[in-house]
Amino acid sequence: MNRNYQKEMEHVIQKLQEEHSVPTLLLHSCCAPCSSYVLEYLSRYFRITVYYYNPNIYPPEEYWKRVEEQRNFIRRFSEHAMEKQADRNQQLAGDDWQGQQETAPAFHTIDFAEGRFEQDRFYELVKGLEHVPEGGERCFLCYEMRLREAAKYARQQNMDYFTTTLSISPLKNAQKLNEIGEKLAKEYGVAYLCSDFKKKEGYKRSVELSKEYGMYRQDYCGCVFSKRD
């Protein structure tokens, strides 16, 4: 039976709102453009740490370009969100605004952590699968490698949930991503937030935000094989 991962995530969020709970979330990010909509959406409900772990990126200068774009986007998005939140609070308070009225935040703060750039590990992992078509077994191994590191880090940091931005891409297998995430959740004891961020025009919104923030938007997934194909 096919699962609707978007609805499952919405159910989790609804429950958190009913409980007035704001848990922590470790968000594995593949790149700044893919993280844009995800952060806009989830930062209203979670305290997020963006975890950038992508040793598959080729060439090295592309990796450093993408990680810097991720840092810059988090900073600019956070500044913009805080400005909007202050305007919203003042509007709600009206003429009586004295700074003392508390209103529900439009977003929660976002932190950043970078994993190790260990290309050799990626190449060893996919050895023998160099010519497998994009979107096949080689990609599934890459998904798991990155999600496993995210799960490990989430456990080390005592995070409540972990998930990944990868499901926002129309080219990524959301079912496989969620299967891996749920498997790792059992191994590491950290809840996995199921997702399919491309739903409800999430991918379209990520493109809009990329343009709005003038972000570098790459034209291939990231590894040498996707660049080749």
Side-chain angles (χ1 to χ4, degrees):
M1 187 174 95
N2 291 331
R3 291 168 58 183
N4 188 322
Y5 296 109
Q6 172 66 24
K7 284 196 177 297
E8 290 185 24
M9 181 175 63
E10 289 173 355
H11 177 73
V12 170
I13 290 172
Q14 182 180 358
K15 186 176 180 182
L16 293 174
Q17 288 182 293
E18 290 170 354
E19 296 172 349
H20 303 287
S21 174
V22 184
T24 54
L25 171 70
L26 193 287
L27 175 66
H28 166 262
S29 177
C30 55
C31 64
C34 287
S35 75
S36 59
Y37 164 73
V38 179
L39 289 174
E40 181 183 64
Y41 180 21
L42 293 184
S43 62
R44 291 174 286 173
Y45 312 110
F46 298 89
R47 294 185 181 90
I48 298 173
T49 295
V50 172
Y51 184 59
Y52 192 88
Y53 177 73
N54 300 291
N56 57 312
I57 302 300
Y58 172 88
E61 53 266 31
E62 177 73 14
Y63 173 89
W64 299 116
K65 188 173 185 177
R66 293 192 192 193
V67 75
E68 188 60 27
E69 191 69 27
Q70 181 71 78
R71 290 179 186 273
N72 287 338
F73 173 69
I74 292 171
R75 176 182 55 79
R76 294 174 63 204
F77 173 79
S78 297
E79 290 172 354
H80 190 209
M82 290 177 69
E83 290 171 2
K84 288 195 296 184
Q85 183 169 307
D87 291 343
R88 173 175 172 270
N89 289 351
Q90 189 163 358
Q91 183 179 6
L92 288 172
D95 294 337
D96 296 328
W97 171 256
Q98 296 295 327
Q100 77 277 12
Q101 179 170 328
E102 293 186 4
T103 58
F107 93 111
H108 299 279
T109 55
I110 301 167
D111 294 318
F112 177 79
E114 182 184 357
R116 291 176 296 178
F117 182 43
E118 40 193 8
Q119 279 190 311
D120 290 344
R121 182 180 176 188
F122 169 70
Y123 290 125
E124 183 63 29
L125 178 72
V126 301
K127 190 174 182 180
L129 300 172
E130 293 87 350
H131 298 288
V132 171
E134 191 74 5
E137 186 61 29
R138 184 183 66 240
C139 293
F140 298 162
L141 289 174
C142 185
Y143 294 171
E144 182 162 350
M145 175 183 68
R146 290 184 281 172
L147 279 170
R148 183 173 293 280
E149 288 301 313
K152 285 181 185 178
Y153 191 81
R155 184 178 66 179
Q156 291 169 3
Q157 300 301 312
N158 294 315
M159 307 292 281
D160 298 308
Y161 291 87
F162 76 103
T163 194
T164 179
T165 63
L166 284 165
S167 70
I168 199 169
S169 170
L171 301 177
K172 298 294 185 294
N173 188 319
Q175 180 178 339
K176 194 67 178 179
L177 284 164
N178 284 288
E179 287 176 358
I180 292 170
E182 290 182 321
K183 180 187 78 170
L184 294 173
K186 293 177 182 177
E187 286 187 37
Y188 291 94
V190 182
Y192 183 74
L193 184 68
C194 289
S195 70
D196 194 352
F197 292 116
K198 70 178 73 65
K199 295 291 183 67
K200 294 195 171 180
E201 298 194 324
Y203 177 73
K204 179 182 177 182
R205 179 59 180 155
S206 74
V207 174
E208 292 172 350
L209 284 166
S210 296
K211 292 178 180 177
E212 181 181 329
Y213 282 86
M215 277 191 278
Y216 165 63
R217 192 174 182 90
Q218 61 276 3
D219 58 4
Y220 66 105
C221 176
C223 72
V224 64
F225 312 112
S226 62
K227 188 174 178 63
R228 173 197 68 196
D229 295 340

